[in-house]
Structure formats: structure tokens, C-alpha cells
């Protein structure tokens, strides 16, 4: 035999770190995003779908959250102009494109410009378990609004979006903070704006508190930290005193809680926030004190939550002392909390948490994070809180890269895959969607008859299909129906056709009977019934509705 | 002053050939695709979202419809493995990825596998007016079904999808044909399967009949054709006799029409198709003849359409003579037409058209194309038919590249942008969607009051937002509302607040008054009214409903 000289066959694989999504993986995500889009739309946000491809120049050479050159993106050079061809890249998030779009179209866009965007982004990073190089983001941003009312609006909208997709109130909390507070703390600690590198190290250290705990962060603020594998991460090299100041900021909320548990309610003269004192005429220190104590008696527990917020505020006020920026930050958080409270987004949903700083360097003011508070079971069978599903904040300098003018902006990004996983964990996505009714083919020359049946079923709103494989082996047809998750199979052989009847097979019931050893209890409900052809649709409908 | 040494600013532009989509451009497309998805779902098709990035190996080195090396795709080499890094590329359509997905997951997928996919694809081609390098495709395919029932199903589903998005019956037609018929014609003309290059030239020549007309195709079948710019395209170099055979195939439908107009109804003894003769006992040549003539009297015009189909079939039968493949093709088209007719997809929607061959080389059997038949006005103000919005066919060899085994497959691709343009031309998309109600800011310290108003409006299902720009210049706020297309603006200054009222400004009415010179007729309906704060939502609702 002659030697086979054919080309080797291509491998049928997704590139490393990429994956395909099938059936309900696609439709459940689309359903979730469509509910979120409806909320964003109601808030006056407009859809934007920017090009997936950007010039590398427009994206900037660095990813915002890693300290590496443009390895983080998938990039290529335009071929048609030879060596001088422009470098293009796939977008790595939806924020950098927004800055480009706003700079490009600013004369045509309303100011402020509220927009939402949903779509895939690409990261040229090392893939890992559950970590893909293409994934969905879902962002909403307001560009051109300097007021914290814009930040508060984003938080309210986020709460509404979470509830719209099926996270009930009480199962989530939105933690808010402000970068300026941290800046004030660092100012007090003697780490000024002239030390951006140290500030960066401090920022990233604080951002890791969930994972490393207070002790780990303390090490990263000092000399550094050696992890379990023996690798050493060098720290910010702060003094013990400096570390103490930063840690007191970081633990302000926990400390405030402890104060209140111990009955220590401290007041900060002259500092009131409406969300604490609404509905109360505050005339003197006495009435403030009365009010604070009355909050402890609130049976809903929200009063105590308010009190924790207030006590946290006063602790932070003490830490930032005279720092202008620090006080500005605290006032901004207080204003946000007030605006939210008056719209009904109270302490059961929005809380002040100094440990929320968000890792990205570009945030300049308010930062926020949505956390799901219900417990799930982790890989090792241990219960843990579900954790963060969305985060964002104010970033006032992104557009400036293009135009030279600072444009205030604030926004939120929802982790689409994580939120979808949360809904699945809560059983809030459609349970394994039923497959189509399968009309089997007994007589391949009567395909038109079978097609007429599925057409009738679809007319009645029932998902249905004819078996289109080779009909010779009937067992294969039933195996196919099984693989499709079909609730019902229809059978019409020549003998049935002659008598004007069809066999309707209840596959769900059939599976139950097959599972169950004592057939007795099912004998009243045979899994296959014969009905006149004219009653086909009605019978299928009855089975699907659980009435047959 | 020191010289500015800063880096030049990046240009805020989309890469050449790419664009952004704003607001309703995004939401109208999503709404259309969601209606199509519902139809596909009802037919038992499952969603698939494959990775946007594929290995160049899996995509194949050639685009299916151009004769160039892989310049047609955006490709890059994986960096982490140096020169041996794998080449990756953005998908250029949704069919090549389906072949890869099916080959990769075939053991887990049902067989046959019906799937639909919607998403962007990328082409590294020279952009032009209305021709972008990123655009949407919307595909449905059945893999693993050899029967033409699968092709017929795709055509029925396409008709349902077009009607679901708002193309009424009568405004579209699905033209079907079969590649085997053309193969039979070429066999008769002496252009065998051993001349694939010539067959390719003939195929592409026929595919251009809409643009070049019969005369242009005739040149391309012969020596070649010089276009208006003077460029010469060489032809298939067929003899006059060969050209005559191909042209008689191509014009079979028009010729059949002419026959019937001239009262010439020809019969092909022994050739019947159910879609012509359904409900009629055909016993002899006489009853066939009676039936054919009776079709001419059908008042709906569908009878005549059927007759044209039948006459076209008989002409084709005559042309292909004894060619086995040719006769197979004709029988397959007839079977498809029968299957469709019995489900109610008759000659008013599905017609046989030999000039539909589809340019792509990979089709092996049935081919189909959906055309919108209503007229639009072209760029130069001339009326013309809207034309093709979807096309597809059977391709049995795509999966074979990976597995070595031929897997039968058939599918359809809808041109998303063209179909959306058609809906817009027909006024079937939502008219310029109204913007949000804008609550203006008269007193920046009372932002919470304004936020409470929009919260109330949203609760009532009304899209609403607070103005979040600098509120100092009130004129800017009204300009903003105008730019947003707001139907209503709300105004509440300190004086209104004190009296417990708000001003509700009907911006649509206001614009009409501004346009109209004779103010008289509007004086009974002032465009701005004062209402108690408690009646805000009711009043806005009344204006939106056109009742105020």
C-alpha cells in the first residue's frame, strides 16, 4: 500500500485557557444580564458596545492591576503596513474602552454620560482552575459627574440589580469607603503623596486582608511576608508606629463593634450624619446621646448597625485628625450614606467598611464592593461566606490621558461568572431546563407526518423536535431523547397511523419507575399511553403540567 | 517656561474598520436576537457560545470564501513559548468553530446536534463604507443528520424567525436549490468533477447573477469579463454549447414563467411532487393536466406560483437528463418542498430557484437563501428590492478535517446587521426610544430630595434620573434633558419645596409649541404645570401616556 502522505489532522481543542459555553450556560447568563440591563436602563443608563479590538496606544501599555508590560493583553501588529503597522489588542476590561469612547465622542454624548456595557474581555495571563483568558464583565459608569450623588446612585442601582437577579435583601451587603480617608491616614502616618511606591505597597497589602488576615497585612506593612510555600514578598517597611496607625484605620469597624458590645458609645462633638439622626431634632449633646442609646433598643438590629457605622465614623475622625483629605473622605462617605438612607438603602444594605480599599491604583475617592453574605460549602466541604461579586469606585483621571482634561467618573463592575455561580448555589437559576418533546421516526417515508406533529406542538408553545438521525435502531432514538433530557417521546408506527392514534411516552415518569424497585405504586399510571392523534397536543400539555 | 517633555497623548480612536454601538443600536439588536433565539429554542436547538479565540490550526489556513492565505484573520503567536508559541486567531465565522466544537465534544453531545450561536466575528479585510472588520452573525446548524428533513426544518425555522422579528408573510421568500443539480448540469456539459478549478469559476460566476445579470455571467462562463473600471476577470473558458447548457439551468425559472404566461404547460411523465399534487388522486396524464390547469385559476396567485415551481422542475429534469447526481438533487429539492408544504410553508414562502448556488465551495447539497421582497430606496433615491438577509446549506465535510469521518451538517446564517437595517427600513424597531425623565437640581444641598423623586418614578416603572452635572447653570440642565430625549423635566426650587409643589415640564409638547408659530392653539395646554408633590408620579404618568 502506498504511504499516506496526507497532512496531519488539526487538533480539535480550544486554545489553552479558553472554553466553550453550552445551552443553559449561555441562556442563564443572558437572562441574568438582561435583568441587570433593565435596572440600569431604568436609572437612565444607556447601553454601549465598544469594539472588542483597540489600539494598544489607546489601551495604554499597562494593565491597571498588574505591574507588567503589555504581556497582559493579546496583541498583534497590523500586517498591511509592514513594520510600521499599528499594534492592536483585545480589550482587557470595559473601563479603558469607555475612557477612549468618551474622549472620542465627547461632543456628541450627554454630559454627564451614564452608560452600561456587558461583554467578553480577554486577559493574556496564565490560566488556572476556574480562571479563564476570556470572561464576561458587566459595568455601569457615570462620566462627567463630580458629585458623590453619582457614587451613591451607582450603589443603589447595584443593590437593585442584585435583588432583580434573585439575591434577596439580607443576603448581600454593599461596603463603602473612600480612598481619601486612607490618604489622610497615610498623611498622619507620615507616608506622603511623594511616596507613591510605598503607598502602592500599602494599598495592595490592605486589599489582601480577606485572604491574609490582620497579621499577614501587618507583615506586608513592615518588612514583608513569607508565605506557606516559602516565597517572600517584601513589605512597605513602615515603622511600628506607622503600622499601628494604618492598622487602627483598618480595624476601625471591628473596634467600633467591640466598643458597642462593651457598652462604650462614644460621640464626636459636632459630627452628625443624617443617616444616623434622620427624623430627630438634634439640639445638644444630650439629645445626641439619647438618640445613640435609643438605637441599641431597635428590635430589627438595624439600629445597632447604624450605631456601628456612627462609631466607626468617629474612630476614623480621630485617626485622620486634622488631615484635610482624610476629613474630606469621611464627609463624602457620610454624604453617600445619607443619600442612600433617604432613598431607603439603609444600614441593612449599605455599610461603612474601612478595609475596603480596592486594589486598583486608579481610584481617587469613593470605593465600594458588594458582598454576598450567605454561606456556601467550599471545595473542602467547609462552610464559608460567598464573598465579593462586584466592586468599583471613583476614578477621575482615566479620560485625561487622551484629552489632557481631568473628567470625573465613577462606576461598578459586576463579576458575571461569580454572580451566576451564586445564583446557582442559591438555586435561583432555572433548574436543569427540560429538553424538547421528541417525535420518533418509525417510518422514514412519513417524515412529513412527524414534522406536522412538532409544528402543532410548537404552535401550542411546546418545545419539540423530530428525531433526525438514522431511524433504523429505535433504541437509539430513545437514548437520544434521554440525552436531550426530553420529558415526552411520541411514537406513531404504521399500525398506529392506520388506527388514528399515537403513543405518548412520559419519560420522566418512566425514569422514576425504572429507579423504583416496587413497581406496584406506579401501575395505575402507565408511563406510556395511547391517545387519538387529535389529542396529541392536549395530552403532552397535561404531562408537562403534571396533570396526567 | 521649561519645555514640555511629556509623552504625546494617545489618540482616542477606534482601530480602522472597527466601530462602537450606542444605546438603541445595542438594545434593538439584542431584542431582535432574543426573538430569533426563542424560535430556535422552540425547534429544539441549544445555545452554544464558543471561544472567540481559536488556534489557527483549528480554523484552517483559508477563509472559506476568499482565495487568500490567512491574511483574512486577525492572528498572533503565543508569547510564552518563544518562537514555538502556538498561533491563535479571532474566529472569522461561527461555522468553523462549530466544526471544532463538534469534533472536540462529540461524545458528550446528542446526535444529531442542533445548535444556535450568536456573536461577533472578525475579518482582517480592507474595510469600506458599511463594511466593518467586526460584525455579528447569528447561525443555526444541525450536525449529524443526513436527511433533507433537517434542511427543510432549517428553512421552516428561518421563515418563523423572520416573522417573529417583524417581517410579515409576503415580504420575504426563501429560495431553495441543490448543488447536486448544478453538478448534474456540469456533468451534462462535460465539466466533470476532475475539473474542480473550472467548477469553482463557474460557481462564483453564477453567484454573481444578481449583480452582473445574465450577460455578465455568460462572459464569465466564457473568455472572461472586463468591468467598468477596465479590470479584466478571466472566465471558465467554456464552449458556446457548454455555456448554453449552464445558462438554460440558470434561467430555468424565468423560462418556466414565460412558458406559463404563454399558456404552455408542459408535463414530465412520471414526475410528481406532493407539494403540487397534494389532496389529488393522480391516476393518469389527464388528471395531471387538469390539476395543472386548475392551478392557474387559483385566485390567491399561489396556484400560479406552484405551477412555476413545477414547470421549473420539469425543465431542470430535461436539462440534467440521465445524470444521477442531477436527478438526486432535483428529488431532494422536491422532497424539501413537499415536507415544507405539508407543514404549511407553501409556495408563497418557499420557492425553487436554480440561480441560488451560494458562493462558498463547501456546500454539498441543498442550499437556501432568504430574500426580503419589499422595496426600499437606495442611496441614489431609486427603489430596489431589499435583497438577501440570510443564507445557508448543507456542508458534509467540515468536521472530517478533524476526525477523518464525514459528518453530515446543514445550517443557516442570518446577516444580523442587514436584517436589523430591514426592520428599521420597515419601521419595525422601536421608534427613537424616549429618554428618561430628568429631575433638575435647583438646590444642590437637597440632592436627597431629588433622588427620592427618581426613586418614586422608577418604582412606578418610569425611567428617571437626577441631573448630576454642575447644577449652577439651569439652562445647561434643560439642554441636557433635550440631548437625552427626555419627555419630561421636573423642577423643585426652594419656593416650590416650601409650598409642597413641583413644576412638571412637558418637553415634547414644549418642543411642538416652539416649532409652531401660532401659539394660540396650545394656550389651553401649557407645557409646564405645577402639581402637589404627592401627585408627581401620577402627573408624569399621564403625560407619558398622552393623557395630560
Amino acid at each position: 500500500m502506498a504511504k499516506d502522505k496526507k497532512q496531519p489532522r488539526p487538533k480539535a481543542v480550544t486554545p489553552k485557557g479558553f472554553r466553550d459555553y453550552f445551552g443553559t450556560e449561555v441562556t442563564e447568563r443572558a437572562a441574568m444580564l438582561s435583568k441587570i440591563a433593565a435596572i440600569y436602563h431604568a436609572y437612565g443608563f444607556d447601553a454601549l458596545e465598544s469594539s472588542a479590538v483597540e489600539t494598544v496606544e489607546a489601551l495604554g501599555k499597562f494593565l491597571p492591576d498588574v505591574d507588567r508590560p503589555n504581556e497582559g493583553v493579546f496583541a498583534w501588529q497590523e500586517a498591511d503596513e509592514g513594520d510600521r503597522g499599528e499594534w492592536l489588542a483585545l480589550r482587557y476590561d470595559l473601563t479603558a474602552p469607555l475612557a477612549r469612547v468618551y474622549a472620542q465622542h465627547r461632543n456628541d454624548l450627554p454630559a454627564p454620560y451614564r452608560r452600561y456595557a456587558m461583554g467578553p474581555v480577554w486577559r493574556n495571563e496564565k490560566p488556572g482552575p476556574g480562571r479563564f483568558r476570556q470572561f464576561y464583565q458587566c459595568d455601569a459608569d457615570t462620566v462627567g459627574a463630580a458629585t458623590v450623588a453619582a457614587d451613591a446612585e451607582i450603589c443603589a442601582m447595584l443593590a437593585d440589580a442584585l435583588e432583580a437577579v434573585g439575591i434577596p435583601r439580607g443576603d448581600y451587603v454593599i461596603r463603602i469607603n473612600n480612598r481619601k480617608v486612607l490618604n489622610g491616614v497615610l498623611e498622619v502616618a507620615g507616608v506622603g503623596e511623594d511616596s507613591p511606591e510605598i503607598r502602592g505597597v500599602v494599598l495592595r497589602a490592605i486589599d489582601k486582608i480577606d485572604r491574609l488576615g490582620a497579621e499577614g497585612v501587618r507583615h506586608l506593612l513592615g518588612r514583608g511576608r513569607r508565605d506557606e510555600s516559602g516565597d517572600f514578598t517584601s513589605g512597605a517597611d513602615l515603622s511600628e508606629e506607622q503600622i499601628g496607625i494604618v492598622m487602627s484605620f483598618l480595624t476601625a469597624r471591628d473596634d467600633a463593634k467591640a466598643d458597642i458590645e462593651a457598652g462604650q458609645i462614644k460621640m464626636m462633638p459636632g459630627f452628625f450624619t443624617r443617616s444616623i439622626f434622620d427624623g430627630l431634632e438634634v439640639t445638644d449633646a444630650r439629645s445626641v446621646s439619647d438618640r445613640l442609646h435609643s438605637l441599641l433598643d431597635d428590635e430589627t438590629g438595624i439600629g445597632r448597625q447604624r450605631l456601628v457605622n456612627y462609631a466607626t465614623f468617629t474612630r476614623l475622625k480621630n485617626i485622620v485628625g486634622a488631615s484635610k483629605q482624610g476629613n474630606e473622605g469621611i464627609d463624602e462617605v457620610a454624604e453617600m450614606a445619607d443619600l442612600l438612607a433617604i432613598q431607603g438603602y439603609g444600614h441593612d444594605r449599605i455599610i461603612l467598611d474601612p478595609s475596603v480599599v480596592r486594589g486598583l491604583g486608579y481610584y481617587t475617592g469613593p470605593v465600594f464592593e458588594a458582598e454576598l453574605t450567605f454561606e456556601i460549602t467550599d471545595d473542602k466541604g467547609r462552610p464559608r461566606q460567598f464573598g465579593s461579586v462586584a466592586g468599583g469606585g471613583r476614578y477621575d483621571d482615566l479620560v485625561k490621558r487622551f484629552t489632557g482634561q481631568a473628567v470625573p467618573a465613577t462606576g461598578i463592575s459586576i463579576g458575571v461568572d461569580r454572580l451566576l455561580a451564586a445564583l446557582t448555589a442559591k438555586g435561583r437559576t432555572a433548574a436543569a431546563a427540560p429538553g424538547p418533546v421528541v417525535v420518533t421516526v418509525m417510518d422514514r417515508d412519513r417524515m412529513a407526518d412527524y414534522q406536522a406533529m412538532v409544528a402543532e406542538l410548537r404552535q401550542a408553545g411546546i418545545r419539540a423536535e423530530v428525531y433526525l438521525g438514522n431511524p433504523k435502531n429505535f433504541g437509539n432514538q430513545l437514548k437520544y431523547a434521554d440525552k436531550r433530557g426530553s420529558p415526552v417521546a411520541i411514537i406513531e408506527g404504521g399500525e398506529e397511523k392506520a388506527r388514528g392514534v399515537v403513543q405518548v411516552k412520559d419519560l420522566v415518569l418512566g425514569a422514576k419507575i425504572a429507579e423504583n424497585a416496587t413497581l406496584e405504586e406506579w401501575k395505575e399510571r402507565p408511563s406510556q399511553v395511547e391517545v387519538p392523534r387529535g389529542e396529541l397536543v392536549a395530552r403532552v400539555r397535561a404531562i408537562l403540567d403534571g396533570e396526567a
Side-chain angles (χ1 to χ4, degrees), chain A residues 193-207:
Chain A
E193 284 178 18
D194 48 350
S195 313
E197 294 82 8
I198 300 178
R199 285 191 160 202
V201 177
V202 171
L203 194 66
R204 286 192 292 277
I206 295 175
D207 201 38

Side-chain angles (χ1 to χ4, degrees), chain A residues 65 95 110 198 210 234 270 288-289 308 378 387 404 420 478 493 497 500 512:
Chain A
D65 54 352
T95 310
I198 300 178
D210 276 356
S234 46
V288 171
S289 175
V308 172
D378 72 8
L420 203 51
L478 290 184
K497 171 75 177 175
K512 279 187 195 152

Side-chain angles (χ1 to χ4, degrees), chain A residues 237-250:
Chain A
D237 234 349
L238 303 188
S239 71
E240 272 307 311
E241 198 196 334
Q242 290 175 314
I243 293 174
I245 293 170
V246 174
M247 292 307 293
S248 71
F249 155 75
L250 204 48

Side-chain angles (χ1 to χ4, degrees), chain A residues 28 120 185 270 322 388 460 467 497:
Chain A
E28 290 296 341
V185 171
S388 174
Y467 178 72
K497 171 75 177 175

Side-chain angles (χ1 to χ4, degrees), chain A residues 424-447:
Chain A
T424 306
K426 289 289 273 185
R428 291 294 153 78
T429 48
V437 170
V438 169
V439 174
T440 61
V441 174
M442 299 297 284
D443 179 355
R444 93 167 62 200
D445 290 335
R446 288 197 299 106
M447 192 56 93

